[in-house]
Amino acid sequence: MGDPSQKKRRRGEDETSKSKKKKAEGASVAAETYSITKVHKPQVSPPVVATTPGFLLGDKRAFEVYEKAPEQSTKRRKSGGIPPPAEIALHSSTHMSVDYTARETEQLLNHYVAIVDPKTKKIEIISAKKMLVRHKVRSKNAKDTSAKSATQTNYEKRTALGEEFGTRKAKKALKSVADNAIVASTDKMGQAEHAMLQNVKEVFANSATKEELQAAVDQVRPVPRGNYDAEHIQDVYIPREIIGSDILNAVPVMDWQEAVHNNEAVNVPSRFVAHRIARVAANKEDKERLQVLRYLLWVIIFWVTTGKGKERGTKSIAKRDKLRELLSPAPEVVIENIRRKFSDNGTMRKEHMELLMTHCCVFASIIDSFEVNMNDLREDLKLEQKQLAQYFMEVGARVKQSKAGGNINHIAKLQLPLIFPKIKSAVRR
């Protein structure tokens, strides 16, 4: 084996030759070189590398420097005694309405600023602080002197005493002074304030009155169509206008008339209809009222056979084939009329339910000569007494109680003038 020192010398010679080749090759490219002469660590007010997120900071903004001395540690430093740098903050209040404050960020990371001299090719590096500048709108402080504030305080004290223990004449004088102060402050308002008040006046001048609002509510109320200007109560809700002449004529009643004439029982799934078939069918001259009674029966069956809907607060109606079976012997045109009037694509929403209930109330009033005992209808529709009474009031009826023996009957009566629920006005405090 050879001498290891010779191998080292040869390796060194090889590196020297390679470096000489690189220098010779690089000599053709003229590259400027800079040398770092100093690294400054200023003791007082070092330069700052600041960021201003969200706003622009002017070049002529002067800042005051606030320095916080580092806390003295009781333990002896192991590094040799170089104290940690002091924490500084910058503040500027030269702007007329905005204060600027800069605080240090990234204290554990050193930042530097390089100053380059292109003539001497020298660079000086200075230690800098990384800071974040925030701005805040200055609050408008009252610039009252102590004498003026003291005067106002004494005046307020005298005013309070006068309002509490003064005579009527003194209280009236204080009130007039306050009113004059309000008028004076109104006179000092600018054009913007006057324009705003003028717009408010115009808005309230064009706003609807309470009567107009009540009329608008009456138009959108989910009730059957009625002639509210009629002179007789039987002319307010007309069955042929509510149901339709073609639909009403398609309702069969001959089987009911024959069964009543032959003293045969008619089984129907409704207490209200069952207790009135004999009385209404006995009058052959009033066929229309019997048709309304049978139409009401089908509407009640339609409502009772609904199920829970997919959406919250809705109900789903039975399929067409099931409806034909449930409403038999109702003609197809009558089934479609009920289905379209009180549902939308097989779903009953709140407005459909309310419309069905108010129709039932109107039909019951027509059958009972506009004075209805609500007990049977409440059982058929499966409602609380308060709910059914509200639906009767929606169509203009008056609801009252009457005692018959030990029972309490709830009577809904339609009479002119109809009384509809009023708009609840805001409670005055």
Side-chain angles (χ1 to χ4, degrees):
M1 294 179 66
D3 188 1
S5 62
Q6 293 179 359
K7 291 183 179 180
K8 291 182 179 178
R9 283 196 298 273
R10 282 199 298 273
R11 189 176 297 136
E13 291 172 0
D14 294 340
E15 291 176 357
T16 310
S17 62
K18 289 180 182 179
S19 63
K20 287 180 180 180
K21 289 179 182 179
K22 288 181 180 178
K23 288 181 180 178
E25 292 174 359
S28 60
V29 181
E32 296 182 359
T33 58
Y34 291 83
S35 60
I36 299 174
T37 58
K38 295 181 181 179
V39 178
H40 293 281
K41 291 186 178 180
Q43 300 298 324
V44 180
S45 62
V48 171
V49 180
T51 57
T52 58
F55 66 96
L56 295 176
L57 187 64
D59 297 335
K60 298 182 180 180
R61 194 68 57 208
F63 283 85
E64 296 180 0
V65 182
Y66 296 90
E67 184 175 351
K68 180 181 179 182
E71 297 180 358
Q72 297 294 335
S73 177
T74 57
K75 297 183 179 180
R76 188 175 180 180
R77 297 188 187 91
K78 298 180 181 180
S79 59
I82 300 175
E87 183 180 354
I88 66 171
L90 306 180
H91 181 75
S92 175
S93 58
T94 56
H95 193 275
M96 59 185 302
S97 60
V98 180
D99 288 340
Y100 297 93
T101 304
R103 298 186 182 277
E104 289 189 53
T105 59
E106 302 179 4
Q107 296 182 5
L108 301 179
L109 187 63
N110 294 329
H111 295 266
Y112 296 91
V113 176
I115 302 175
V116 181
D117 189 351
K119 293 182 179 180
T120 60
K121 309 299 183 184
K122 294 181 180 180
I123 301 175
E124 294 185 7
I125 296 179
I126 304 174
S127 178
K129 296 278 190 181
K130 180 66 180 296
M131 308 193 80
L132 181 66
V133 183
R134 296 292 187 184
H135 66 293
K136 182 180 180 182
V137 179
R138 191 183 307 114
S139 60
K140 295 182 179 180
N141 297 323
K143 297 181 180 179
D144 296 337
T145 61
S146 59
K148 184 177 179 181
S149 61
T151 304
Q152 290 179 348
T153 304
N154 293 332
Y155 176 75
E156 292 173 357
K157 290 180 180 179
R158 290 198 303 269
T159 304
L161 288 173
E163 291 178 350
E164 187 69 23
F165 302 104
T167 60
R168 290 184 179 179
K169 187 175 181 180
K171 292 180 180 179
K172 186 176 180 181
L174 291 174
K175 185 177 182 301
S176 63
V177 171
D179 294 341
N180 293 334
I182 293 173
V183 173
S185 63
T186 306
D187 294 338
K188 292 180 181 179
M189 287 191 303
Q191 296 181 356
E193 288 82 358
H194 281 292
M196 182 182 68
L197 290 177
Q198 190 66 26
N199 291 335
V200 171
K201 290 180 181 179
E202 292 177 359
V203 168
F204 279 99
N206 298 328
S207 61
T209 61
K210 187 175 181 180
E211 290 75 13
E212 293 173 348
L213 291 174
Q214 184 65 45
V217 171
D218 293 340
Q219 290 180 357
V220 299
R221 183 178 284 114
V223 296
R225 291 181 299 175
N227 180 19
Y228 302 117
D229 297 329
E231 297 181 357
H232 303 283
I233 190 61
Q234 60 269 19
D235 297 331
V236 177
Y237 295 108
I238 302 174
R240 293 193 175 274
E241 293 182 359
I242 299 173
I243 302 173
S245 298
D246 297 338
I247 306 300
L248 197 62
N249 292 334
V251 176
V253 293
M254 186 66 70
D255 53 341
W256 279 11
Q257 289 178 336
E258 291 180 356
V260 171
H261 180 71
N262 298 329
N263 294 325
E264 297 177 357
V266 180
N267 297 323
V268 291
S270 168
R271 294 182 58 179
F272 183 88
V273 177
H275 292 164
R276 290 159 177 81
I277 286 180
R279 174 173 58 84
V280 178
N283 188 1
K284 294 184 178 181
E285 296 180 358
D286 196 356
K287 180 181 177 181
E288 182 179 277
R289 184 173 295 188
L290 187 60
Q291 290 173 328
V292 173
L293 182 64
R294 194 158 202 179
Y295 187 89
L296 173 62
L297 172 65
W298 289 332
V299 171
I300 293 174
I301 296 173
F302 176 84
W303 164 252
V304 173
T305 56
T306 56
K308 189 176 181 181
K310 295 180 180 179
E311 300 177 9
R312 184 178 180 182
T314 63
K315 288 183 175 294
S316 62
I317 65 174
K319 302 296 182 181
R320 280 187 171 88
D321 295 339
K322 187 66 176 177
L323 272 180
R324 294 190 187 99
E325 180 182 350
L326 294 171
L327 303 183
S328 178
E332 186 70 21
V333 64
V334 177
I335 296 174
E336 284 299 315
N337 174 267
I338 296 174
R339 189 175 182 276
R340 292 177 181 177
K341 187 186 292 289
F342 303 117
S343 68
D344 183 16
N345 293 328
T347 303
M348 290 187 70
R349 293 180 173 81
K350 183 181 178 181
E351 57 269 20
H352 298 118
M353 301 177 197
E354 293 178 350
L355 189 64
L356 184 143
M357 296 302 172
T358 52
H359 271 74
C360 291
C361 293
V362 169
F363 296 152
S365 299
I366 294 172
I367 295 164
D368 281 359
S369 300
F370 307 102
E371 189 170 352
V372 185
N373 187 339
M374 296 189 292
N375 294 340
D376 291 340
L377 190 62
R378 185 186 70 246
E379 295 293 334
D380 290 342
L381 298 177
K382 298 180 180 180
L383 297 176
E384 298 291 336
Q385 177 59 43
K386 185 177 180 180
Q387 292 176 310
L388 186 59
Q390 182 63 37
Y391 289 128
F392 268 103
M393 288 189 288
E394 289 290 337
V395 299
R398 296 173 173 85
V399 179
K400 61 181 181 179
Q401 295 181 0
S402 64
K403 290 185 179 181
N407 299 326
I408 297 178
N409 297 322
H410 299 271
I411 308 299
K413 186 175 182 180
L414 273 177
Q415 64 182 17
L416 296 179
L418 299 180
I419 300 177
F420 297 100
K422 300 297 182 182
I423 301 175
K424 293 183 180 180
S425 57
V427 179
R428 183 176 297 177
R429 295 185 178 180

